[in-house]
Amino acid sequence: MTILCELAKKYRTDKLSKHNYTPIYFDMLKDRRESTKRVLEIGIGNEDYAAGGLAIGASLRMWEEFFPNAEIIGFDFDPKSMVNEGRILSVQCDQGSESSLKEAIAIVGEGTFDLIVDDGSHMPDHQMLTAQMLLPLLSPDGFYVIEDVYSAICVPIGYTSNIFCTGAGPDDVLVVIRPA
């Protein structure tokens, strides 16, 4: 079990228990632990998530411990999901709204991100809008990851992608996008 898998278990995120994404994340990010400065995750979790035995903010806490020098930012539409502690900053944001995404970006500043994870609504139109808005904020050697993909994702020109199917479920699909 990788250190990231252990952290996912410690903080009770579904990135290990349900989807088995953490081994893929670890392979991608293991050499960037110290150099990663900024991480953004869309989707922090909500009461339904917590009712399933998982923890609100689990992934943010996992990233905070895995990346010791990084600012960890979370966007979520639910005001009850905000986690603001240590190096974690949460901002209320509706990923299905261009204006809400713009407001959230303005709050956190327009610097680049080394890792952006979309684990939000899982709705294809929201995933596409979010990617259109946030890909320009990805650092030149960064990773943009869309979790729980149910349908095809069109990758913009200038980017490459890899698709990982990690289980038998229809949403056990991870799309990793990188600048070309």
Side-chain angles (χ1 to χ4, degrees):
M1 182 178 288
T2 72
I3 187 170
L4 192 58
C5 293
E6 291 172 5
L7 293 173
K9 185 176 180 181
K10 174 183 177 179
Y11 291 110
R12 298 187 347 248
T13 172
D14 68 351
K15 286 178 176 23
L16 174 65
S17 61
K18 182 178 179 188
H19 299 293
N20 202 33
Y21 294 154
T22 50
I24 296 166
Y25 276 118
F26 183 77
D27 284 343
M28 289 187 321
L29 303 168
K30 64 186 173 200
D31 296 329
R32 298 166 177 248
R33 291 189 67 195
E34 300 293 328
S35 62
T36 296
K37 301 297 182 208
R38 217 160 175 229
V39 174
L40 170 61
E41 180 149 3
I42 297 91
I44 298 172
N46 57 33
E47 291 173 351
D48 291 338
Y49 187 78
L54 302 168
I56 294 172
S59 297
L60 300 180
R61 292 180 180 100
M62 177 188 76
W63 295 131
E64 182 185 39
E65 190 167 336
F66 187 72
F67 296 117
N69 301 311
E71 173 187 20
I72 311 299
I73 299 168
F75 289 175
D76 200 287
F77 72 95
D78 187 347
K80 296 177 187 172
S81 297
M82 301 297 104
V83 175
N84 293 294
E85 60 193 37
R87 291 178 283 112
I88 299 172
L89 169 68
S90 298
V91 178
Q92 190 174 356
C93 176
D94 175 0
Q95 79 171 123
S97 164
E98 183 175 342
S99 63
S100 184
L101 284 163
K102 284 181 180 178
E103 289 172 20
I105 292 165
I107 289 169
V108 301
E110 289 196 16
T112 60
F113 293 94
D114 301 301
L115 173 64
I116 300 173
V117 178
D118 181 347
D119 188 17
S121 71
H122 308 136
M123 297 173 63
D125 55 327
H126 290 184
Q127 292 169 328
M128 291 304 300
L129 174 63
T130 303
Q132 289 169 352
M133 299 291 296
L134 298 179
L135 274 170
L137 302 178
L138 187 65
S139 67
D141 63 343
F143 292 95
Y144 188 103
V145 181
I146 306 172
E147 295 185 356
D148 312 326
V149 176
Y150 287 92
S151 63
I153 295 288
C154 297
V155 178
I157 294 173
Y159 295 89
T160 62
S161 68
N162 292 319
I163 299 172
F164 299 91
C165 299
T166 63
D171 67 337
D172 292 335
V173 178
L174 192 71
V175 177
V176 179
I177 302 170
R178 300 209 56 208

